[in-house]
Amino acid sequence: MKYFLLSDIHGSVTRLDRALAIFGRERCDMLLLLGDVLNYGPRNGLPEGLDARGVADRLNALAGRIVAVRGNCDAEVDQMLLHFPILSTYALLVDEGRKILLTHGHVYHKDNLPPGQFDAVVCGHTHLWELSDLDICGHPAIYCNTGSVTFPKNGNEPTFGILDNGQFSIRNLDNRILAEKTL
């Protein structure tokens, strides 16, 4: 399976459209949404192309190919627009026997993990991409923060991730690879 890792859309249909174009070109099997899907959040400015209904419509068309978790800006009212569940704090993906924790990052993150052993932790929330090694109770793992496709911080460009056959990559909206790491 080839997974497209996307976080912090914050209601920008413009940025989502660019990301989904790459999702299609890359022939990804599943879209893993890591929270903050529709609401732009009180600390952010208005995003380019703010259109929560448009974001919902585009994602609903892919509902059967989406696994999503709740971000700190996602609410029950957002769930009313979406045809796939988004209100769980985390999800566990098992791919080729590898356990991958999907979470937004506001509750669970590399310094505060739920009980268990994981081969990778994938999140967003900070709006800063990172791809690094992680030690979980003596077990080597990968930490992948996809950054934000809409509101990148600290001079970063909009980013997302792809997981393909055990290899993580962080990419920009030109689909240029910024970093890679293999499980």
Side-chain angles (χ1 to χ4, degrees), residues 7 21 23 26 41 52 73 75 83 90 97 103 105 109 113 116 122 124 126 141 143 147 151 157 165 168 174 176-177:
S7 187
F23 173 83
E26 286 290 323
C73 292
H83 301 159
Y90 66 89
T103 189
H109 46 79
L113 296 172
V122 181
T126 64
Y143 175 73
F151 291 126
E157 54 193 317
N165 199 26
F168 285 95
D174 292 327
R176 183 171 50 88
I177 296 172

Side-chain angles (χ1 to χ4, degrees), residues 33-56:
L33 292 176
L34 304 166
D36 288 359
V37 177
L38 301 178
N39 192 320
Y40 61 88
R43 295 184 306 165
N44 297 311
L46 293 175
E48 171 190 7
L50 177 62
D51 180 1
R53 173 52 85 183
V55 168

Side-chain angles (χ1 to χ4, degrees), residues 52-69:
R53 173 52 85 183
V55 168
D57 290 345
R58 283 159 177 79
L59 294 175
N60 286 337
L62 297 169
R65 298 171 64 191
I66 292 176
V67 173
V69 295

Side-chain angles (χ1 to χ4, degrees), residues 133-148:
D133 293 320
L134 187 62
D135 181 285
I136 301 175
C137 301
H139 178 75
I142 289 179
Y143 175 73
C144 175
N145 186 318
T146 63
S148 173

